[in-house]
Amino acid sequence: MAMNPPVVLLDKQAGYTVITLNRPDKLNACTVPLLEGLKAALDSAIADPHCRAILLTGAGRGFCAGQDLNERKPVEGQVADLGASLLEYYNPIILAIRQSDKPVVCAVNGVAAGAGANIALACDIVLAANTATFIQAFARIGLGPDAGGSWLLPRLIGEARARALALLAEPISAVQAQAWGMIWETLESDALMSRAHALARQLATRPVGSCAAIKQAFLASPSNSLIAQLALEADLQRKAGQSEDYRIGVRAFLAGEQPRFVGR
Ligand code: T3D
């Protein structure tokens, strides 16, 4: 009997790990196995000492169409608990991406809808094919925002645009998303993956402590006062300043050489 292909692929490259959502026929819509597979792949990459950056993408013509609505077919006399689904599956994925010390690059190869859009936006550096679109699709099917959208979007593009995107639930192009500062870069489709791999490789050469300090500082920033954030920066910088990579970086600068970080 033919085996079904895994719904999430994990590919270890030198210094970084590629995670690919792999239900291309359904635009990588999220079933329970896909969500479990994505979380397991993230956990595995985060725990892997050889992995210094993560690259997340989708197989086929879509990045991720959000929750697979076949799992939500209305059944007479039954009510799905979407809150439980978010707590069990989606929220841990968003938190794994945001709370990990490792940088996560997202290559949005096509449409990113609903929770699929917000999984992409939770990543640290988001690239998209110029054919890709982002849709806060929730209001189309009677839902409110989830997977961090109501937190991420206003911070990325401002409240006026975030509210309109959520309420209108219309697609915006990757080009528009980049112009609004929602994502980092837009590329021709055939250039997307080579650029994404190049960025992941570049991040894999960065000092691990720097990436950790950057992610921890940005994670805390939205809920901190300036005073608290300055204190956090001082704490993080004290730690970074004691690292071998800092010594290597300064020595290399003074010698006019490229640093070769050891990364601990
Ligand atoms: O439930 C919870 O746990 C709470 C969490 C909720 C989070 C959410 O994400 S809610 C939002 C769910 N997502 C959507 O509402 C988006 C639904 N999809 C679409 O609106 C469209 O498919 C797209 C705009 C994304 C793309 O349109 P298009 O025309 O390029 O493609 P298509 O033909 O609609 O889709 C291609 C196939 O993917 C098609 O299957 P088929 O007919 O070829 O066998 C389509 O049914 C399937 N597909 C796309 N999105 C989903 C899906 N199947 C199941 N669930 C989907 N979300």
Side-chain angles (χ1 to χ4, degrees):
M1 211 171 75
M3 296 263 287
N4 286 332
V7 291
V8 176
L9 308 175
L10 187 142
D11 176 22
K12 292 184 185 189
Q13 300 277 328
Y16 65 101
T17 298
V18 185
I19 298 173
T20 306
L21 308 179
N22 190 37
R23 298 185 68 224
D25 295 349
K26 300 293 176 188
L27 305 179
N28 305 312
C30 302
T31 54
V32 166
L34 182 137
L35 291 164
E36 287 177 339
L38 174 55
K39 179 62 168 53
L42 286 167
D43 288 347
S44 156
I46 290 165
D48 178 357
H50 301 293
C51 168
R52 297 162 67 113
I54 297 167
L55 168 51
L56 174 64
T57 192
R61 72 176 179 89
F63 170 70
C64 176
Q67 171 63 39
D68 188 313
L69 297 175
N70 290 304
E71 287 187 348
R72 297 290 176 266
K73 268 185 200 137
V75 177
E76 198 59 39
Q78 283 181 26
V79 185
D81 183 347
L82 304 193
S85 163
L86 292 172
L87 293 175
E88 186 168 359
Y89 300 111
Y90 287 93
N91 295 3
I93 288 169
I94 302 301
L95 291 175
I97 293 169
R98 284 271 154 165
Q99 292 179 335
S100 158
D101 284 347
K102 299 183 181 181
V104 185
V105 174
C106 185
V108 181
N109 48 301
V111 64
N118 295 335
I119 289 171
L121 297 178
C123 296
D124 297 295
I125 300 182
V126 185
L127 312 176
N130 57 11
T131 51
T133 52
F134 293 83
I135 316 175
Q136 293 295 314
F138 309 95
R140 292 182 176 192
I141 55 167
L143 294 182
D146 64 27
S150 57
W151 191 93
L152 292 161
L153 273 175
R155 286 171 170 81
L156 288 168
I157 59 175
E159 196 163 329
R161 286 167 173 160
R163 280 177 187 261
L165 281 189
L167 287 166
L168 299 173
E170 284 173 359
I172 64 160
S173 68
V175 174
Q176 182 68 76
Q178 186 192 354
W180 282 358
M182 200 166 108
I183 62 171
W184 172 244
E185 196 175 350
T186 307
L187 298 112
E188 296 287 336
S189 293
D190 57 6
L192 176 71
M193 289 317 294
S194 61
R195 174 75 176 137
H197 279 270
L199 276 184
R201 270 195 300 274
Q202 185 184 340
L203 289 166
T205 67
R206 286 277 177 275
V208 169
S210 280
C211 292
I214 290 163
K215 289 202 62 167
Q216 287 167 26
F218 278 99
L219 182 67
S221 165
S223 56
N224 266 350
S225 64
L226 174 61
I227 293 169
Q229 191 68 10
L230 288 169
L232 174 65
E233 286 178 0
D235 283 345
L236 293 169
Q237 210 67 309
R238 181 175 300 112
K239 194 170 162 213
Q242 291 164 356
S243 70
E244 181 60 15
D245 278 339
Y246 176 60
R247 276 187 282 277
I248 289 170
V250 174
R251 258 192 228 116
F253 173 78
L254 295 176
E257 294 168 355
Q258 282 300 313
R260 289 177 61 85
F261 296 110
V262 293
R264 274 188 289 272

